[in-house]
Amino acid sequence: MSRTAIFPGSFDPMTNAHLDVARRAARLFDGLVIGVLDNPRKQPLFSVEERVTLIERSVAELGTQVTVRSFAGLTVDFAREVGAAFIVRGLRAFSDFEYELQMVHMNRRLSPALDTTFLMTGLEFGYISSTLAREIARFGGDVGGMVPPPVAAALLERARSGRGEV
Ligand code: PNS
């Protein structure tokens, strides 16, 4: 039986913590679909198309079983659409747990057969977040090591062009 999982998120932008989770999940599942949420209520730094492209470039080394798609609406519907029986989420620290637990139970209520698998990010990624990466890049700080190289280049370009505000 082929096991497919989705790894949903905002990914604005993808960080090395996300990439670490994707790398670990790619070893566990036959197929991993990274789902980029297109949320009309949020004003992201990168458009959904840009986020998809940046992730595709960042995960190219992980092989063809890892694909990237955008989605709108409910995560459980996205899972059904791509034929996934699992959701993958990363945990960096205990502080992530409460929010994740709430999502697990809500998703389970909506789709009882869909299970969520948590993967702990490497210790070195525990402090990294998309929000901090955006902020550091905006003020000209070095984001190398925090985000994959294609994302670092895109953040730098945004900061230089003065479009790094979010
Ligand atoms: O990277 P994030 O912002 O922590 O990801 C959160 C995400 C996208 C996984 C979550 O907001 C989500 O699943 N949104 C889609 C709408 C939905 O299904 N909401 C109910 C889930 S509890």
Side-chain angles (χ1 to χ4, degrees):
M1 193 183 93
S2 155
R3 284 176 185 269
T4 300
I6 56 163
F7 176 19
S10 305
F11 302 107
D12 187 36
M14 175 176 244
T15 66
N16 281 341
H18 293 130
L19 185 56
D20 184 52
V21 172
R23 187 175 288 122
R24 291 169 195 278
R27 292 171 48 216
L28 283 174
F29 296 99
D30 303 306
L32 180 71
V33 186
I34 301 180
V36 182
L37 179 66
D38 187 4
N39 185 350
R41 283 173 48 210
K42 271 195 182 173
Q43 268 218 319
L45 176 60
F46 294 104
S47 70
V48 72
E49 295 81 12
E50 287 170 325
R51 283 177 276 155
V52 166
T53 303
L54 288 173
I55 298 171
E56 278 172 346
R57 289 188 190 144
S58 305
V59 302
E61 57 173 279
L62 300 185
T64 52
Q65 82 274 30
V66 180
T67 52
V68 190
R69 283 181 54 173
S70 62
F71 75 100
L74 292 176
T75 288
V76 293
D77 291 336
F78 177 58
R80 197 173 301 123
E81 201 184 308
V82 302
F86 301 93
I87 297 174
V88 167
R89 293 282 290 172
L91 287 177
R92 289 165 301 185
F94 196 70
S95 48
D96 286 335
F97 185 75
E98 214 167 320
Y99 169 58
E100 296 295 338
L101 188 67
Q102 201 180 6
M103 281 206 290
V104 167
H105 288 299
M106 189 53 76
N107 285 330
R108 188 169 283 167
R109 188 191 162 97
L110 295 169
S111 180
L114 187 65
D115 249 312
T116 304
T117 310
F118 288 101
L119 293 170
M120 309 299 151
T121 56
L123 258 187
E124 65 273 40
F125 305 118
Y127 63 95
I128 295 174
S129 71
S130 300
T131 308
L132 283 182
R134 286 198 307 266
E135 183 168 307
I136 287 161
R138 171 152 54 109
F139 295 115
D142 179 12
V143 290
M146 289 176 65
V147 295
V151 174
L155 281 171
L156 190 66
E157 194 275 322
R158 280 300 165 94
R160 281 203 184 123
S161 67
R163 291 187 299 141
E165 290 291 326
V166 153

